[in-house]
Amino acid sequence: MDLAFIPSPSVGVVHLGPIPLRGYAFCIIIGVFVGVWLGNKRWIQRGGRSGTVADIAVWAVPFGLVGGRLYHVITTYEPYFGKNGHPLDAFKVWEGGLGIWGAVALGAVGAWIGCRRRGIPMPAYADALAPGLALGQAIGRWGNWFNQELYGKPTDVPWALKISSDPAIGRIGGTYHPTFLYECLWCIGVAALVIWADKRFRLGHGRAFALYVAAYCAGRAWIEYMRVDEAHHILGLRLNVWTALIVFVLAVVYLVVSAKRAPGREEVVEPGALEERAAAEAAAAESAASDSDSATEADGADGGDGAEAPVGKAPAAKSAAEAEAEGGPETVDAAAPSADADAKPAGSGSTKKS
């Protein structure tokens, strides 16, 4: 008897009237938004404009969805074009079946088109987007949980995934390794690794993206080996295991060669972005200085209306009045020369020096 396991959802789709809301589709959409959000933050940090990542994603995402579906249909063609297959089912993306290899490959073509239109170096864009891609994959993998698909070998570990039986598609109920969860956690670790390495070593010219690819492939190879869904085998290994191994080697080779040929990081990733940011900061600083000067002038005007000046004259006026009252006219006449002397302009007195 299993005392603990991860339950699978009873349904993978909820109908809002005639509109089906599918968990798989929601996971993909949320993953895309998270990836673009993080990529935008990193792009701005690299010196690019806000919104550029989203603009290029308009090209990359559709290409990626088409590429992911094509890879899945080509490598698992039997349900669509085999005996008793249904070719129209190849278009039912919402039912699951997106190959990450095709998604990244054709998505890169879409990103290249978007970068070329904006005059942006493709490697720099890929570096900024790399951790976001990993996080997007981590979220997207939960779509497999909603569809109860792509699980691993039978197991009774406490974190086993409970799968319900479905004779219509030949699914046998039981508890299995939650490979979707393993890949989710692995992708989160890949994102953290790329962010750390990028800060530590200032990766540029596509090397952050290459690190993401290599790290993902390393995890995908052993996770893929655990899966029990049908797949083509070559020399005893699943096709996706071979794909992961080959792409891993290519990514490592690129890391080494790129570090030798183009060390360091791009100084400019988007033409004009740094100048616009400097101009905006200068305008903000000038506006703040102007506000500060206005406030200082206002404070000075308030101080000039006070009683500070009259206070200095009050004793003299009071002394004259008291002198007249106390000492009579003579005292006032004695004080008059002093007042006249004060009224003479500079240089009008005696030339005698003491």
Side-chain angles (χ1 to χ4, degrees):
M1 178 179 180
D2 297 318
L3 298 179
F5 55 82
I6 300 173
S8 289
S10 57
V11 293
V13 57
V14 177
H15 288 83
L16 185 63
I19 303 175
L21 304 177
R22 301 181 182 277
Y24 185 89
F26 270 111
C27 291
I28 298 297
I29 293 172
I30 294 173
V32 169
F33 274 101
V34 170
V36 171
W37 168 78
L38 181 57
N40 183 66
K41 288 178 65 68
R42 286 173 51 80
W43 184 250
I44 294 173
Q45 292 172 356
R46 291 286 300 273
R49 295 186 181 93
S50 176
T52 297
V53 170
D55 292 342
I56 297 176
V58 171
W59 289 90
V61 172
F63 273 75
L65 291 175
V66 172
R69 189 60 174 176
L70 281 175
Y71 181 88
H72 169 76
V73 171
I74 292 173
T75 58
T76 314
Y77 63 87
E78 291 84 359
Y80 313 105
F81 303 104
K83 186 178 180 180
N84 300 324
H86 303 280
L88 292 180
D89 288 350
F91 297 96
K92 297 179 179 179
V93 180
W94 55 87
E95 293 184 354
L98 290 174
I100 185 61
W101 315 109
V104 172
L106 207 55
V109 175
W112 176 81
I113 295 174
C115 288
R116 186 175 178 82
R117 290 169 60 89
R118 298 291 293 265
I120 291 172
M122 174 69 178
Y125 179 81
D127 284 342
L129 201 61
L133 284 175
L135 283 183
Q137 287 177 243
I139 296 171
R141 273 303 171 194
W142 283 87
N144 302 134
W145 176 68
F146 279 101
N147 286 355
Q148 296 195 52
E149 61 184 2
L150 307 186
Y151 43 85
K153 300 175 182 178
T155 183
D156 57 356
V157 295
W159 58 87
L161 176 65
K162 180 72 173 181
I163 296 294
S164 61
S165 62
D166 188 348
I169 59 175
R171 190 171 66 202
I172 301 174
T175 55
Y176 300 85
H177 277 287
T179 51
F180 84 92
L181 179 59
Y182 298 161
E183 187 165 339
C184 170
L185 297 176
W186 184 268
C187 286
I188 293 174
V190 170
L193 171 66
V194 174
I195 292 174
W196 171 82
D198 195 24
K199 289 182 178 180
R200 175 66 176 81
F201 302 105
R202 293 183 56 82
L203 301 176
H205 302 283
R207 287 189 288 277
F209 183 81
L211 177 61
Y212 145 72
V213 172
Y216 172 75
C217 289
R220 179 62 185 267
W222 66 266
I223 293 171
E224 182 74 22
Y225 185 76
M226 297 178 65
R227 283 167 42 171
V228 295
D229 54 297
E230 293 184 2
H232 295 285
H233 288 72
I234 299 176
L235 299 178
L237 293 178
R238 293 166 64 95
L239 175 60
N240 282 334
V241 174
W242 282 109
T243 303
L245 294 175
I246 293 172
V247 175
F248 172 82
V249 172
L250 293 176
V252 172
V253 170
Y254 180 87
L255 274 170
V256 175
V257 174
S258 175
K260 292 181 178 179
R261 297 185 60 180
R265 177 186 285 181
E266 301 92 339
E267 294 296 331
V268 178
V269 297
E270 188 167 4
L274 294 177
E275 290 78 0
E276 291 179 3
R277 186 177 303 176
E281 292 175 354
E286 183 178 353
S287 177
S290 177
D291 293 342
S292 177
D293 292 342
S294 299
T296 302
E297 291 176 0
D299 292 342
D302 292 341
D305 293 337
E308 183 178 350
V311 169
K313 294 179 180 179
K318 183 177 180 181
S319 297
E322 290 176 353
E324 184 176 0
E326 295 175 0
E330 294 80 2
T331 308
V332 176
D333 293 339
S338 177
D340 292 340
D342 291 340
K344 289 181 181 181
S348 61
S350 171
T351 59
K352 183 178 180 181
K353 297 182 181 179
S354 57

